Each structure stands twice: as structure tokens, then as C-alpha cells.
Amino acid sequence: MSESHTHNSPPPSSAFPLAGALSEVEAEELKAALGADNAGKDLPRVSGRWILLLVLAVFGAYIAFVTPIAISLAIRVKDLAPDNEEYLGFILGAGSVAALIFGPLGGQLSDRTRTRWGRRRPWLIGGTLLGLVALAIMGTAPSILILGIGWVVAQIGFSQVLNNLTTIQADKLPEFQRGKVAGLTGFASMAAPVFGAIIGGTLASQSLLLFLIPGAIALVLVMLFVILVHEDDSRGNTFDQPLTVKTVVSKYLFNPRRHPDFSWNWLGRFLFYFGLTLNTTYTAFFFASRLGLPVTEVGGIVAIVGLVGIVGTMGGALGSGFISDKLQRRKPFVLAGGALFALGAVIMAFAPDMPLLIAGSFLTNLGIGIFSAVDQALLLDVLPERETDAGRFVSITQFATTIPQALAPIVASLILAIGTSAVMEKNYPLLYIAGAVLTILGGLVILRVKAVR
């Protein structure tokens, strides 16, 4: 599959003397490996001000994105269809599908955007404004259908913002700062739901403000980044290949043999997040079953466990990101993240009481923080064709998390039904062990990446 090139495109095959003696696939793998080895080594250090503005923008985008998922949508569904709570699942699913479809398209268009303000900033502005309008629609929606349409549009807008904020890191961050920045942005993304819950609890009775306040926070913080961070003029970029419908569709896929390191990282991320989603889909029901309580009475317990988990996740993200940069190592941390999650999941699977459940939950969240932060840095290290198709590959990476979010709940339901009896209603131990196995496999698969230590 031929690829488009800008005036900054990578050197042709003739720049690699061994290419003529290798097969086409081997030559491409050699170029990819060499490119990954040097990816970001020649980029200048970004300033603390740049990092702060990026972290604030990520926090703003996430608070607008996750507050509806965490609380706002549930409140509106309860208002509009009090006897049909299942509509919430349909709305969330429709939004995820929309983001899955439009993500790679937006990534390709972002790569090819030619303006005096650069390639990424127009998409940050457009995505934020689109998301804000959608939140206003959701806050005033007179029906479930309009609420669902609003969420689909919001997903499209804010997913573009988040994708472009990640792509900007691929454009600008040198290798030795990627772990630290991934840890800080991971911290911001995990803090956002906490603030979203506070907003939701404060404004639960005011539908419009419930949606607009998070949107306004996103608008202010993302626009600060757009206004204060410079991006090079992209009007001089040229492309070898026109953007046709056929080209767009073909670029939703990639050749794993051509980009082996990216492929192994994609698969490892997929396995980890599949295991994670298996273990988080039925959290409330699991705690109710293990503690012998009705589901309606475990909300406070889940909240306490969640707060302990946030401490573990944030600590893991910040600590591992900084240390990973310091040691110039990624793979040991990714493997450790998978192993810690697996250990915590096994403890929870057989925990007989609350203290062990909390301990297991803390370990799983510590693993999530370590894995997510360092794997984000590793992704930037191995991102293919970063000068021409960075947005496209960042968007394709999102498939590794969105597909598990769609499929894992279905698989979890099937696992829970295995070996059930009058004595054991649902097979939660098997579910948590399955999640543990997948997260371990995710860490092991990423060890196959060759260009990163």
C-alpha cells in the first residue's frame, strides 16, 4: 500500500544500502526499526510551560468527555425514560461506534490539513466547539433520541480533540520526555472523572449546567493551548497520493509486517485493555456477590474502593513515567504493569473479605497506572511514519481500547455463566482470572518490540 509524503518525508529506500539485498518486506522492517531507533532523538526539549498547557488541555477535554459517561447521561436518561434505564447502554454504545468510525478519518484529515496555524490546532478548535454544541443539545434534549444524537456528536468532537493532543506529542516530544509527559497526562485523565463526579453531584438537578460546565472547562483549557502554543505553518506540505474514498478506507488498516513494533504494541494494548474491561464491567455486582449485599447497598463501598484505586492509578502513572524516562527503559514497566494488575485480579477473585478486596483493587489500579503511562510513551517511540501519518496511526491505536470496550462485556457475560449452579450464581473467580491472564499476556507481547528497551 503506497503512503502519502510531505516535504519532510522519510528517506527513500536508496538511503538504506542493504535494502537491495533484502526482500521488500525485510527492507521495510529494517527502515521501520531504524526509524524507530531515531524517532524523537533529534527533537528539542519542550518547555515546562508547553507541558503544563498540554496537561491542562488533556484535563479539560477529559472532563467534558467522561462526565457524561460517569453521571450526566445516567441522570438525563432517568429524567427522559425513568422505566428504561437500558437506553443508557444503547447511547454509550452508539457513541463508541461513532468514535471508532470517525477517528481514523479525522486522523488522516488532520495529517493533511494545510493552514497557517498548522495541522493539529484547527482540529482542536473544531472538535472542542462541536463537542460544546453537542453538550448543549444533550442538556436540553426533549427525548432519548435527541440525547443519543447529542452524545454521538460529542463523542466525534471530543475524540478528535484527544486524538490530536496525543498526535501533537508525537510531533513535538523528544524521546527522553515522553514517559514524564505520558505520566502527567495520564494523571490528568484520571483526575478528570473525580472532578466530573463532583460537578455531577453539585448540579444534578440543573440539566443544562450539568453538561455545559464541563464543556466550558474544556473550551477554556483547550483554547489556552491553541493560543499559547505555536505550531508550524503547514501550507507548504505536499502529498504524493490524493485523498480518495479508496485511500481513506484502505488506511483504516495497516500492514503488521511492515510495522512490526507498532503491531506488537497494538496487540499488547488490546490484550491488556480486554482483560481490564472484563474485570471492571461487573464491579458492583461482584462486590455485592462477594460481600453478600444487595447491589443497591454497595454504592458506598465501590466509591471507597474507587478512591483507593485512584491513588494507586495516579501514583503508578506519575512514578513510572518519570522513572521510565530516567532509566530509558519502557518494556520492563509495561510488563510490571500487566503483572501487578494480574496479581490484584487474582487476589480479588478469591478475597473472602473487604480488606483483601481493597488490597487487590489497589494493585490492579497501580498496574493500570504503570501500564497506561509507559505504554503511551512506548507508542510514541514506535509510531510509524510520524511525519506523514501520525494522526492516522494514533487513531488506529484507539481501536486497541475501543474494541475491547465493545466486546469484553459480552465475553464477560458468557464467562460468568460457565459452571454456574445453585451454590455459585455467577463465576466471578473465573472472570477475574481470565482478566489476569490477558493482562499478563499483554505485557509479555510488548516484549516483542525490538526498537525500544
Side-chain angles (χ1 to χ4, degrees):
M1 179 173 64
S2 61
E3 303 288 344
S4 59
H5 298 279
T6 68
H7 61 287
N8 292 320
S9 58
S13 298
S14 58
F16 297 88
L18 291 177
L22 302 173
S23 70
E24 181 180 353
V25 170
E26 290 170 332
E28 292 293 349
E29 290 181 358
L30 174 63
K31 288 192 290 181
L34 290 173
D37 283 339
N38 295 307
K41 293 186 183 297
D42 56 345
L43 292 173
R45 175 189 292 271
V46 299
S47 67
R49 173 178 172 272
W50 190 96
I51 295 173
L52 174 62
L53 289 169
L54 174 73
V55 172
L56 289 174
V58 169
F59 175 80
Y62 262 103
I63 204 167
F65 186 74
V66 304
T67 302
I69 297 174
I71 190 167
S72 308
L73 273 171
I75 291 173
R76 288 295 285 145
V77 168
K78 193 70 174 176
D79 289 341
L80 296 171
D83 297 324
N84 297 99
E85 295 179 1
E86 67 275 9
Y87 288 161
L88 177 61
F90 296 138
I91 292 172
L92 291 173
S96 297
V97 170
L100 201 65
I101 293 172
F102 286 96
L105 173 61
Q108 292 179 55
L109 294 175
S110 171
D111 289 333
R112 288 170 169 262
T113 297
R114 288 177 282 191
T115 72
R116 61 181 295 184
W117 302 285
R119 293 186 289 174
R120 314 301 178 194
R121 288 193 293 177
W123 288 86
L124 294 179
I125 297 170
T128 303
L129 293 177
L130 182 64
L132 187 60
V133 170
L135 290 175
I137 292 172
M138 295 163 68
T140 57
S143 67
I144 285 291
L145 177 60
I146 300 301
L147 181 67
I149 292 172
W151 178 238
V152 166
V153 176
Q155 275 265 25
I156 293 171
F158 286 119
S159 66
Q160 290 303 322
V161 175
L162 291 168
N163 285 348
N164 276 275
L165 287 172
T166 301
T167 308
I168 285 170
Q169 296 174 57
D171 295 338
K172 296 294 185 182
L173 278 179
E175 182 183 7
F176 60 86
Q177 286 185 294
R178 289 173 185 160
K180 175 175 70 176
V181 173
L184 290 169
T185 55
F187 176 87
S189 68
M190 295 160 198
V194 179
F195 284 86
I198 294 171
I199 292 171
T202 305
L203 301 171
S205 61
Q206 303 178 58
S207 295
L208 185 58
L209 291 179
L210 183 61
F211 288 91
L212 284 188
I213 294 298
I217 294 172
L219 180 65
V220 171
L221 296 181
V222 174
M223 289 306 108
L224 274 177
F225 183 86
V226 169
I227 293 168
L228 298 177
V229 172
H230 172 74
E231 187 180 358
D232 293 336
D233 190 323
S234 62
R235 287 176 293 181
N237 290 2
T238 57
F239 305 93
D240 296 338
Q241 189 178 33
L243 195 64
T244 64
V245 173
K246 181 179 179 181
T247 302
V248 167
V249 173
S250 68
K251 289 193 173 186
Y252 272 62
L253 304 173
F254 67 96
N255 186 340
R257 294 194 65 189
R258 185 172 184 179
H259 307 297
D261 283 348
F262 177 80
S263 303
W264 286 120
N265 186 61
W266 191 99
L267 179 59
R269 180 179 287 216
F270 174 87
L271 291 170
F272 181 90
Y273 281 99
F274 206 107
L276 166 63
T277 308
L278 283 182
N279 285 15
T280 55
T281 299
Y282 288 91
T283 300
F285 294 99
F286 168 67
F287 275 86
S289 173
R290 187 51 48 90
L291 299 174
L293 296 172
V295 174
T296 54
E297 295 181 15
V298 298
I301 294 172
V302 172
I304 293 170
V305 173
L307 288 173
V308 173
I310 287 171
V311 173
T313 305
M314 291 181 174
L318 285 173
S320 63
F322 280 79
I323 298 171
S324 170
D325 278 348
K326 187 72 174 177
L327 299 179
Q328 297 183 354
R329 296 286 190 276
R330 308 286 192 217
K331 293 190 289 189
F333 290 91
V334 173
L335 180 59
L340 281 170
F341 185 98
L343 176 60
V346 171
I347 290 173
M348 293 180 73
F350 300 102
D353 51 32
M354 190 68 185
L356 276 178
L357 285 173
I358 292 176
S361 179
F362 178 82
L363 287 174
T364 60
N365 281 278
L366 181 64
I368 292 168
I370 294 171
F371 185 97
S372 61
V374 180
D375 187 64
Q376 176 76 3
L378 196 153
L379 163 67
L380 298 179
D381 292 341
V382 301
L383 196 70
E385 302 171 35
R386 66 183 58 244
E387 295 189 10
T388 58
D389 277 341
R392 169 201 170 197
F393 280 101
V394 165
S395 298
I396 287 174
T397 301
Q398 301 310 312
F399 289 173
T401 55
T402 52
I403 293 174
Q405 288 168 3
L407 295 182
I410 300 172
V411 175
S413 299
L414 298 176
I415 293 174
L416 287 175
I418 295 175
T420 56
S421 65
V423 177
M424 184 172 66
E425 277 189 33
K426 301 291 183 182
N427 200 339
Y428 287 107
L430 181 60
L431 180 65
Y432 276 72
I433 290 171
V437 170
L438 287 172
T439 55
I440 281 282
L441 287 176
L444 290 172
V445 162
I446 291 177
L447 295 181
R448 299 293 301 272
V449 173
K450 295 180 179 178
V452 177
R453 292 186 292 177

